[in-house]
Structure formats: C-alpha cells, structure tokens
Amino acid sequence: MLFNAEFLLSKFILGYPILFLAHLSVHYSNDYFDFEADAFGDPTAISGGSGILVLNPELRTFSKWFSLLLMMMSLIFAAAFTIVFSYTVWFFLFVLFGNLLAWFYSAPPVKLVYRRLGEISTALTGFILPGMGYFTFKGTLDLPFLIFALPLVFLQLFFISSVEMPDMESDRLGGKKTLVVSRGREFGFKLILLSAILVTLSFLLISFTGLYPSTMDFRVLTLISLIPMALGVVEVVKKPLDMKSATKFSSLNVASLFLVAILMDIYFYLLI
C-alpha cells in the first residue's frame, strides 16, 4: 500500500503458496543432500540442518521426492498465478530462479555451499523472498524495491554467517566450503559486524534517494538495525571462538534478527 500496490485477497490466496511451498521444499532438500555432512555433528537450535535424517536414514528417499514435489507445486502455482492475473513471464522465471537457487544450494552438480558460494546464494534470498511478495502485488520489480532490498541482502549475510558458526567443525569434515570453514570464526564474526554495519548504512542512505513516500522515516529503520550491529561489536571485541561461546552469541544474533523483523513489521503496520 505504501508503494501504491492494491491488496487483493485473490492474489494473496494464489500467491502465498508459491513462496510457502518453495521455502518448505528447501528444508527437505538440504537435509537430503547434506546427509553425510550432518552426520559429523550434533544440530544446534540454529544449525542449517535438522539432523532428522541422520537419526532416521530410512526417510532419505521420502525427503528427496517430497522436496521435488513441493518445488513442482510452487512452480504450478506460479504458472497459474501468471495466467490468471495476466502477468509477464518474468514473474514465473523469477519464481523458477528462486526455486533452483534453493535446490542447488546443496544439490549436485552445482552444490553452491560446497563451492564457496553458499553465503552469496543465501544473501540473494534477501532479494528473492521479499521480491516474490512485492512482485505478486505490484506486478513488477522496480527501482524502489531494488534499493530497499539492499539492506535485506546484508541482513541475510548476517544471518548465514551466524548460523555457520556452530557448525564450523562438522562443516569442515563434511566438505562444505563456507567462509567460516575457510577463514575461521574470528573472520566470521568480523563478517557479521561488517554485514550489520552495511545494513545500518543502507537504511541511512536510502532516505536520501527521494524514491519513497515522505511518511516512511528511514531513521526509524536505521535505529532498529543498531540492535544486530551492537551484538556484532561485542562479538568482535570478546572473540567467542570456541564452539560453545560461538553458538551462544550466534543464537543471540539470530534472535536479534527476529526482533528486527518484528519491529519493522510493527513500524510498517503503523504507517499503513
């Protein structure tokens, strides 16, 4: 509504399953393709893998085919949405790209997370996930969205760097090429802080673009973004490099992202 996009219940009903099914699919595919790597460690509350298949290997085949089924259903809903609302084919291709990126995060032959590209692909979801919602109601991806997505991309980089921390040892044994595996936890915490700083700077600079309604005060979003940045500063100073300490602080990072999301939702709801 803030960007003159009309809310239509019919678009929500047909559009939401596209994102929901795609997001659900990736959980099953990652567990399936990371089976060997997950066996080297015990999952934490913020680990990328659930560890379910390690405990129940008989479910592996189901996990793979159910993931494919969910992805196909997401694409079917995307095709139907494109036809029903007479959207450009780029809408369907955007959904297809998002699904394939999620699938090949861990699936061969691409295996992005095993080829030093896991952080980049996850950061891109900061553009793809909100982009699906924006595209659904707006009918296009315009310049205001592309700029607004920038801090969301950095938030995703903050997120993936945090969840990689507890799994450094098991990821190394499993052959994953994450930045934390390659450069160590100290570098990982510096990357987390850098990501948080870029989030804050992005929100601060966006207000000078003149592309957004005057009712949107990006100084509020800038203040909210200081929460994860403050944690990043503490972590760089304290250097919690052992697994237990790293897990504790990384969990706080993820919790701070939930808080940021809630506060941003409240702010935008009040604007509407």
Side-chain angles (χ1 to χ4, degrees):
M1 293 182 184
L2 290 172
F3 296 93
N4 299 317
E6 182 182 5
F7 177 83
L8 294 177
L9 184 60
S10 56
K11 283 187 175 182
F12 177 80
I13 292 174
L14 191 56
Y16 183 75
I18 299 172
L19 179 58
F20 174 77
L21 294 166
H23 195 266
L24 186 59
S25 172
V26 71
H27 292 288
Y28 287 91
S29 63
N30 280 347
D31 273 0
Y32 175 81
F33 290 111
D34 288 342
F35 176 78
E36 289 80 8
D38 290 344
F40 288 106
D42 297 321
T44 67
I46 61 170
S47 291
S50 68
I52 295 297
L53 297 185
V54 176
L55 298 175
N56 304 276
E58 70 278 5
L59 296 176
R60 284 195 71 195
T61 300
F62 167 81
S63 183
K64 174 185 178 180
W65 291 108
F66 190 58
S67 175
L68 282 169
L69 174 64
L70 291 170
M71 184 166 61
M72 291 305 299
M73 290 175 63
S74 172
L75 295 175
I76 289 171
F77 271 97
F81 189 97
T82 303
I83 295 171
V84 169
F85 295 103
S86 300
Y87 271 32
T88 172
V89 70
W90 287 108
F91 177 81
F92 178 81
L93 293 177
F94 186 73
V95 174
L96 176 62
F97 174 74
N99 272 279
L100 291 178
L101 184 69
W103 175 263
F104 286 116
Y105 177 79
S106 54
V110 183
K111 301 180 70 170
L112 293 166
V113 72
Y114 293 86
R115 302 181 190 277
R116 307 180 191 277
L117 295 171
E119 291 83 7
I120 294 176
S121 60
T122 303
L124 281 175
T125 62
F127 165 74
I128 294 170
L129 294 180
M132 285 187 181
Y134 192 91
F135 209 152
T136 296
F137 287 104
K138 186 72 171 179
T140 186
L141 295 177
D142 51 21
L143 183 60
F145 170 76
L146 296 178
I147 294 177
F148 185 80
L150 190 60
L152 305 183
V153 168
F154 293 135
L155 280 171
Q156 282 297 95
L157 182 58
F158 180 96
F159 168 77
I160 188 60
S161 301
S162 297
V163 300
E164 287 174 354
M165 286 294 191
D167 299 333
M168 184 182 74
E169 290 82 3
S170 60
D171 282 349
R172 179 180 289 123
L173 292 172
K176 291 185 178 181
K177 305 295 184 182
T178 69
L179 284 174
V180 174
V181 166
S182 302
R183 304 292 296 275
R185 286 196 175 102
E186 185 172 357
F187 173 85
F189 280 121
K190 290 178 180 178
L191 180 60
I192 287 170
L193 175 57
L194 175 62
S195 303
I197 291 173
L198 291 173
V199 172
T200 299
L201 286 177
S202 297
F203 279 132
L204 186 61
L205 294 175
I206 283 176
S207 61
F208 296 102
T209 63
L211 294 173
Y212 304 92
S214 58
T215 54
M216 292 180 63
D217 189 346
F218 281 92
R219 292 174 298 179
V220 175
L221 301 182
T222 301
L223 287 174
I224 293 173
S225 72
L226 292 177
I227 299 171
M229 191 173 77
L231 278 171
V233 171
V234 171
E235 290 158 1
V236 167
V237 172
K238 293 183 69 70
K239 296 182 179 180
L241 304 183
D242 62 280
M243 183 186 293
K244 183 177 180 180
S245 299
T247 301
K248 174 185 175 181
F249 278 97
S250 296
S251 299
L252 289 174
N253 286 344
V254 174
S256 76
L257 293 181
F258 279 107
L259 179 59
V260 166
I262 292 171
L263 292 175
M264 287 178 63
D265 283 344
I266 292 174
Y267 175 65
F268 285 120
Y269 177 78
L270 292 176
L271 287 181
I272 296 172

